Amino acid sequence: MSQEKGLDRPTRSTKLWWELFLSFFKIGGFTIGGGWVMLPLIEREVVEKKKWMESEQFMDLVAVAQSAPGVLAVNMAVSVGYQLAGVMGAIVATIGAVFFSFLIIILIAVFLTNFQDNQYIQGFFKGVAPAVTMLLLSAAFNIGRKAVKDKGGFILVAVGLPSLIILGIHPIWAILVAGIFGALYYKT
Amino acid sequence: MFLKLFTTFFKIGMFSFGGGYAMIPLMEKEVVRINKWLTLPQMVDIIAIAEMTPGPIAVNLATYVGYKTAGFLGACSATFGVILPSFVIVLIIARTYSKFKELEVFQRVLKGIRPMVVALVGSAAYVVAQTAIMDIKTFFIALISLGIILFTKISPLAIIFAAGLCGIFLFS
């Protein structure tokens, strides 16, 4: 129903809102590892299963989601939801994407309080911490392979890393300075 | 308190480019150092929990920190705060995308921000390492994890879970 008219002029229908909510609820509730893991699942749901849009249009929406700051999964939900069903579509898709993880985390937070002094749980987290460190390190390398492509990017990392670690500058300043640097450095 | 949680996580959502991992240094600064809502080891626990549970990592982190700091309403404030900037900004971009795409200065700004995200995540790894890797046992868990991450395609979830089991075995 939405294929032929939904793309430039968002449609407004309760059924579509409900479907959007369920799709993003499913994706948000059953993927572990954050936005990057969700991306292919969203594509399968939105492009292949529901046929809400063409693949090229989906890539455009991914670009919108990636160029904005914030939670990638939410960015995707807003951009797909808005395209299909306007502001209300964006709202229901967002609620769908975060609903399940919100509930689970609340349950864990309540549950873990009672077990915080348990030596096995303490041992578990003591073992987990070094693995998390290495996952962060590898995430930095993975992002780096895609993000650092030239001398400018290399300079930013080489100056940014010690400024953050040794001087302890606030990350917001690092981002603002990097943005201004980009605007000036990449001027053709 | 709720307002403080909301504004802090609004700031975190607003200035995070590149997903959940990129938010960690900003969150560490705001939650651990400036507001002192959690200690660094608690923060590392939360990162692990966020990694192991479904859903967007940033939302998991916000919900958990909010709940630990100020209960259920705290969780709502923090989660709403971290989502709101995404929501508003993406909506604006989606409405004006064709014009936005041509805005060349915006592309250049992003080109500068992306490498800085690498430095941010790298600094997060450094900060977390200071509490996570303290002795020979934790050093070995780190080394083995790194080997598995580099040379296999085993999912982060499985790696974290296995490391946790080693932890129970080694430290309990």
Side-chain angles (χ1 to χ4, degrees):
Chain A
M1 125 205 110
S2 56
Q3 283 124 290
E4 51 309 328
K5 59 174 179 174
L7 301 181
D8 294 314
R9 252 178 321 128
T11 53
R12 285 170 179 78
S13 96
T14 337
K15 187 168 167 281
L16 185 59
W17 292 345
W18 182 240
E19 277 187 47
L20 265 168
F21 173 81
L22 279 184
S23 290
F24 277 93
F25 177 76
K26 210 164 62 182
I27 294 162
F30 296 98
T31 49
I32 289 164
W36 295 105
V37 184
M38 284 180 192
L39 213 57
L41 289 159
I42 297 174
E43 184 178 19
R44 201 157 60 198
E45 178 81 12
V46 169
V47 179
E48 285 169 37
K49 268 180 74 186
K50 300 276 183 187
K51 298 202 191 318
W52 276 330
M53 62 184 66
E54 299 292 318
S55 189
E56 294 83 57
Q57 196 186 8
F58 182 77
M59 290 321 290
D60 263 4
L61 295 185
V62 173
V64 171
Q66 282 180 340
S67 54
V71 191
L72 186 61
V74 171
N75 293 359
M76 283 305 304
V78 174
S79 109
V80 172
Y82 177 76
Q83 188 66 259
L84 289 171
V87 174
M88 196 59 197
I91 293 173
V92 291
T94 304
I95 295 174
V98 302
F99 191 63
F100 198 70
S101 59
F102 184 82
L103 282 184
I104 282 198
I105 295 291
I106 294 280
L107 283 177
I108 289 176
V110 174
F111 180 76
L112 263 186
T113 324
N114 309 326
F115 287 85
Q116 243 167 9
D117 302 324
N118 182 307
Q119 58 158 341
Y120 295 107
I121 289 190
Q122 282 177 356
F124 183 85
F125 281 113
K126 226 177 152 187
V128 159
V132 169
T133 311
M134 293 300 124
L135 284 170
L136 279 172
L137 195 64
S138 75
F141 276 108
N142 283 336
I143 302 169
R145 268 201 305 236
K146 277 179 277 177
V148 185
K149 287 178 189 154
D150 54 18
K151 214 168 99 191
F154 188 77
I155 292 170
L156 280 167
V157 178
V159 175
L161 204 54
S163 314
L164 287 160
I165 291 178
I166 300 165
L167 304 178
I169 64 161
H170 199 293
I172 288 176
W173 288 114
I175 288 167
L176 290 177
V177 170
I180 294 166
F181 177 86
L184 299 174
Y185 183 85
Y186 293 109
K187 206 167 191 167
T188 38
Chain B
M1 188 58 167
F2 299 134
L3 188 70
K4 187 80 191 140
L5 272 168
F6 173 81
T7 51
T8 303
F9 276 92
F10 185 88
K11 205 153 78 179
I12 292 169
M14 181 90 200
F15 283 95
S16 296
F17 288 82
Y21 278 125
M23 277 183 187
I24 290 171
L26 192 52
M27 222 176 273
E28 188 263 334
K29 196 86 175 179
E30 288 288 333
V31 172
V32 178
R33 298 215 189 160
I34 296 176
N35 288 301
K36 297 194 172 34
W37 284 325
L38 298 171
T39 64
L40 190 54
Q42 277 178 312
M43 174 96 196
V44 177
D45 289 357
I46 295 171
I47 296 171
I49 291 170
E51 277 278 352
M52 286 189 291
T53 49
I57 292 176
V59 172
N60 294 349
L61 284 165
T63 308
Y64 196 94
V65 173
Y67 186 85
K68 283 288 168 193
T69 323
F72 184 75
L73 282 178
C76 294
S77 317
T79 306
F80 187 60
V82 87
I83 288 173
L84 196 63
S86 298
F87 191 85
V88 174
I89 292 169
V90 176
L91 216 55
I92 291 168
I93 298 180
R95 294 193 109 141
T96 53
Y97 184 56
S98 45
K99 272 177 258 164
F100 223 73
K101 217 155 81 173
E102 289 153 23
L103 209 62
E104 201 240 336
V105 65
F106 180 72
Q107 299 301 328
R108 295 206 305 265
V109 167
L110 277 182
K111 234 174 148 179
I113 287 176
R114 282 188 201 118
M116 189 52 85
V117 170
V118 180
L120 284 168
V121 179
S123 76
Y126 176 81
V127 169
V128 171
Q130 284 175 314
T131 50
I133 303 170
M134 301 169 294
D135 50 21
I136 195 85
K137 288 178 191 168
T138 43
F139 178 76
F140 268 109
I141 294 178
L143 205 63
I144 294 165
S145 311
L146 186 64
I148 295 172
I149 294 164
L150 288 178
F151 300 113
T152 69
K153 286 197 188 298
I154 294 173
S155 79
L157 174 70
I159 294 170
I160 288 177
F161 201 72
L165 291 180
C166 290
I168 293 177
F169 185 71
L170 290 171
F171 303 112
S172 301

